[in-house]
Amino acid sequence: MARIGVETTLSELAARLRRRADGHSGRFILGIAGPPGAGKSTLARGVRDELNAAAGAELAEVAPMDGFHLSNARLRAAGDLARKGEPDTFDAAAYVATLRALRDTPPGRPVPWPTYSRELHEPVPGGVVFEAHPIIITEGNYLLLADDAAPGWSAVRPLLDETWYLDVPRPVIEQRLVRRHIRGGRTPEAAKTKVAQSDLLNARLVEATRARADLVLRKSGRNYKIV
Ligand SMILES: Nc1ncnc2c1ncn2[C@@H]1O[C@H](COP(=O)(O)OP(=O)(O)OP(=O)(O)O)[C@@H](O)[C@H]1O
Ligand SMILES: [Mg+2]
C-alpha cells in the first residue's frame, strides 16, 4: 500500500506500475490526471523511460489525452477558439472510444493514437502507434471528471486500471502557464489573462477530481511525495 507522506522515486513508481501490470490479463492502462501545467506529461514520460530501461524492452508508451483537442478550424467555426482547453473543446467520445480500442485490441495489432503538437497548436492524427506495448500511460487534465462537470468524461475512469493524480500548488502552475503562453507567442498581458480567465478555471474543475485517484503525488525535489 502507498503510504502518505513517503517520498518515492521515479524508478520506484515505474516498478510499482510494472508489478501491477504483471499478472494483469490484457493491456494495463494507467491514467495520470492533474491540472494544466502540473507536469503530467513530464511524469508520464519519466515513468515510461524508467520502466522501459529497467525492463530492457519497450513495454510502456504514453497515450496523451491532448491528442483529442478539437482542431482550431472546428473551434473557430463554433466560436470556441478562445475557450480552447476547456473540457468540451476536446473530443471526449473519441478519447473514450480509442482507449477502449486500445484495451480490446490484442497487443501486436497496431492502434493509431493522435498526439498534440505544441508547435502547430493542433492535434496530429496517428502521432503515436501502439503495437506490442502491454502498458499504456494515458495522461491529461480531465481523466477523472464527472459528467456534471462536462458530459462524456465519466466514461474514462472505468477504462483505467489505476489512476494517479499529480498535485501542484496553484502559484506554481500559474507561473509555469504564463511562461508557456509567452513562449507560445502571447504578450505577457495576454498570457496572464489566458491563465486567469481560462487555465485556472480548468484547474479548479480538475482539482475537484483529486479524491477519485488511487494515488496522489506531489513533486518533491527530484522525487515525488505521496500526499
Ligand atoms: N517537476 C517539475 N519541476 C519544474 N518544472 C516542471 C516540472 N515538471 C514539469 N515542469 C515544467 O512545467 C511545464 C509543464 O509540464 P508538463 O508539460 O509536463 O505539464 P502538463 O501537466 O503535461 O501540462 P498540460 O496540462 O498543459 O499538458 C513544462 O514547462 C515543464 O518543463
Ligand atoms: Mg501535458
Side-chain angles (χ1 to χ4, degrees), residues 35-42 66 118 139 141 176 180 183 219:
K40 303 176 296 295
S41 302
T42 306
D66 267 7
R118 288 215 183 268
E139 54 91 11
N141 296 348
R176 273 188 205 162
R180 196 163 72 188
R183 274 203 307 275
K219 184 83 181 159

Side-chain angles (χ1 to χ4, degrees), residues 12-175:
E12 284 166 352
L13 287 167
R16 169 192 167 108
L17 175 56
R18 178 74 198 273
R19 278 197 306 276
R20 305 250 160 167
D22 283 350
H24 180 83
S25 68
R27 283 204 163 100
F28 187 93
I29 307 187
L30 167 69
I32 301 178
K40 303 176 296 295
S41 302
T42 306
L43 172 61
R45 286 192 295 265
V47 170
R48 172 198 66 193
D49 292 346
E50 286 283 343
L51 193 151
N52 289 346
E58 297 286 304
L59 299 186
E61 187 49 284
V62 177
M65 186 205 92
D66 267 7
F68 292 90
H69 260 111
L70 295 174
S71 69
N72 290 334
R74 195 158 153 193
L75 291 172
R76 197 175 294 115
D80 285 338
L81 196 55
R83 298 197 307 110
K84 185 169 176 171
E86 293 184 22
D88 66 342
T89 65
F90 292 84
D91 190 343
Y95 177 56
V96 167
T98 315
L99 259 185
R100 191 168 285 128
L102 205 44
R103 280 190 77 102
D104 294 347
T105 305
R109 225 189 284 161
V111 179
W113 186 283
T115 53
Y116 183 76
S117 165
R118 288 215 183 268
E119 287 74 44
L120 304 173
H121 304 285
E122 291 278 15
V124 179
V128 60
V129 178
F130 296 100
E131 307 255 6
H133 307 104
I135 301 173
I136 305 295
I137 306 171
T138 188
E139 54 91 11
N141 296 348
Y142 302 127
L143 275 49
L144 297 170
L145 224 55
D147 276 345
D148 57 352
W153 290 101
S154 70
V156 174
R157 179 71 182 85
L159 299 173
L160 306 176
D161 297 297
E162 172 156 335
T163 54
W164 299 353
Y165 182 96
L166 185 54
D167 194 51
V168 66
R170 275 279 180 83
V172 174
I173 52 172
E174 217 170 314
Q175 194 185 37

